[in-house]
Amino acid sequence: LKCFQGSPKISNCDCSGATSSVVGICGGATPMLTGCKIHGSIHGCGVCVFQGGKGELSENEIYQNAMSGVEIFGEETEIEVRANRIHSNRGDGVLVYDSGKCTLTSNTVEKNFHAGVEVRDKGLVTAQENSVARNNFGFIIARHASAMLEANRVIGNFITGVEVSRRNREEGSVRTVLRRNDIRYNLESGVKLWYDSNPRLDGNVVAANLEPLSMTPRSRKRVSMGPEPEGDAEPVAGELPSRFGNNSVVEMADVIRRLRDK
């Protein structure tokens, strides 16, 4: 299925078995795909949005594709992805790169072979209230990309929960922000900041990940934390060490020690 012009509405279809990507959106087309099953690409991804494609994907199941579930790339390419289940793809759940833009809202992104969501090469993602679980990585923001991550659940990924590296140095570029995310039970660090990243962390819960929150020296100089709560405000979970501002950080070693001491 290829949409290259107009604004078609496609609903409740079973799209499968393409040699390349199952659905292609390009050329300024603005389709709306709702309630479809998109799966079984032999050599490509489930949905490929490129060359100025736009539109909306809502309440679809996108799974078992040879590459990523959804791939967005190219200037003036922008799509809204809402309330989909994106799982079991051989690449990323969602991949945004080469100045593509994507808004992710209330999706379940799980069991993808690489990352749940990867943003790189000046891509931009706004992600709110998504569940990102049981992928190798949860979120990767790298190579001059930017992201606004707010109120997501990043749970039980097999490597890092959220990994941010190599900030965009261009004037006017968007700074990566992590706000009010719940980042738990990942099998390496919940949050890893490295290679000259400069995100802002504000009100996140980072708890019971197998490795400590990680910051390289260059990133430590540039990262900013939300202000500590005033007065007798209670943290969402655990303690609020001053070096993490208003982010609640409880390392696995602390959890084990508290259980041992009971």
Side-chain angles (χ1 to χ4, degrees):
L1 174 62
K2 184 175 182 180
C3 302
F4 59 89
Q5 65 181 9
S7 304
K9 295 184 178 180
I10 302 163
S11 60
N12 301 316
C13 294
D14 189 332
C15 306
S16 67
T19 302
S20 186
S21 297
V22 178
V23 176
I25 302 171
C26 63
T30 57
M32 177 181 291
L33 277 73
T34 305
C36 297
K37 292 186 175 183
I38 301 169
H39 60 104
S41 169
I42 298 171
H43 298 296
C45 52
V47 180
C48 186
V49 190
F50 61 104
Q51 292 181 352
K54 294 177 171 59
E56 179 179 330
L57 307 174
S58 62
E59 301 178 2
N60 303 287
E61 184 179 9
I62 304 170
Y63 62 101
Q64 292 180 356
N65 295 288
M67 296 175 67
S68 298
V70 182
E71 189 169 309
I72 303 109
F73 64 93
E75 294 185 359
E76 299 184 4
T77 302
E78 184 171 0
I79 195 161
E80 181 175 351
V81 181
R82 180 177 56 82
N84 301 276
R85 185 175 177 226
I86 303 170
H87 68 94
S88 307
N89 298 286
R90 291 291 297 170
D92 299 300
V94 179
L95 172 61
V96 184
Y97 65 101
D98 193 19
S99 300
K101 298 179 181 179
C102 179
T103 300
L104 296 164
T105 309
S106 301
N107 300 282
T108 298
V109 185
E110 62 183 2
K111 295 189 287 188
N112 297 286
F113 185 77
H114 190 231
V117 179
E118 181 177 5
V119 196
R120 54 180 168 83
D121 303 319
K122 300 183 182 180
L124 175 62
V125 160
T126 300
Q128 295 180 309
E129 298 181 351
N130 301 281
S131 174
V132 181
R134 293 181 290 172
N135 309 282
N136 270 331
F137 296 85
F139 285 92
I140 297 176
I141 301 101
R143 285 166 37 181
H144 314 299
S146 302
M148 166 67 79
L149 310 182
E150 184 169 3
N152 301 285
R153 287 175 50 82
V154 187
I155 308 291
N157 295 284
F158 300 119
I159 305 179
T160 311
V162 180
E163 184 168 310
V164 186
S165 66
R166 204 168 181 181
R167 63 195 167 108
N168 190 341
R169 293 173 174 265
E170 291 185 356
E171 185 176 350
S173 62
V174 177
R175 184 180 191 179
T176 292
V177 176
L178 281 66
R179 179 173 293 129
R180 297 190 298 108
N181 299 284
D182 190 358
I183 304 169
R184 302 176 189 252
Y185 314 132
N186 299 286
L187 300 190
E188 290 190 8
S189 297
V191 176
K192 181 178 180 181
L193 312 177
W194 66 294
Y195 196 7
D196 195 31
S197 64
N198 71 333
R200 177 172 177 80
L201 276 60
D202 188 359
N204 301 283
V205 174
V206 184
N209 301 285
L210 286 188
E211 295 186 7
L213 189 152
S214 174
M215 287 187 280
T216 58
R218 289 173 68 185
S219 293
R220 190 181 301 276
K221 292 179 181 179
R222 295 177 174 87
V223 68
S224 66
M225 304 288 179
E228 294 185 42
E230 297 180 359
D232 297 326
E234 292 291 330
V236 177
E239 299 176 353
L240 290 169
S242 60
R243 67 185 185 277
F244 297 126
N246 67 347
N247 299 279
S248 178
V249 179
V250 182
E251 307 294 5
M252 180 61 78
D254 297 327
V255 174
I256 293 171
R257 184 172 59 254
R258 290 173 188 176
L259 290 173
R260 186 187 304 127
D261 292 343
K262 283 185 177 181

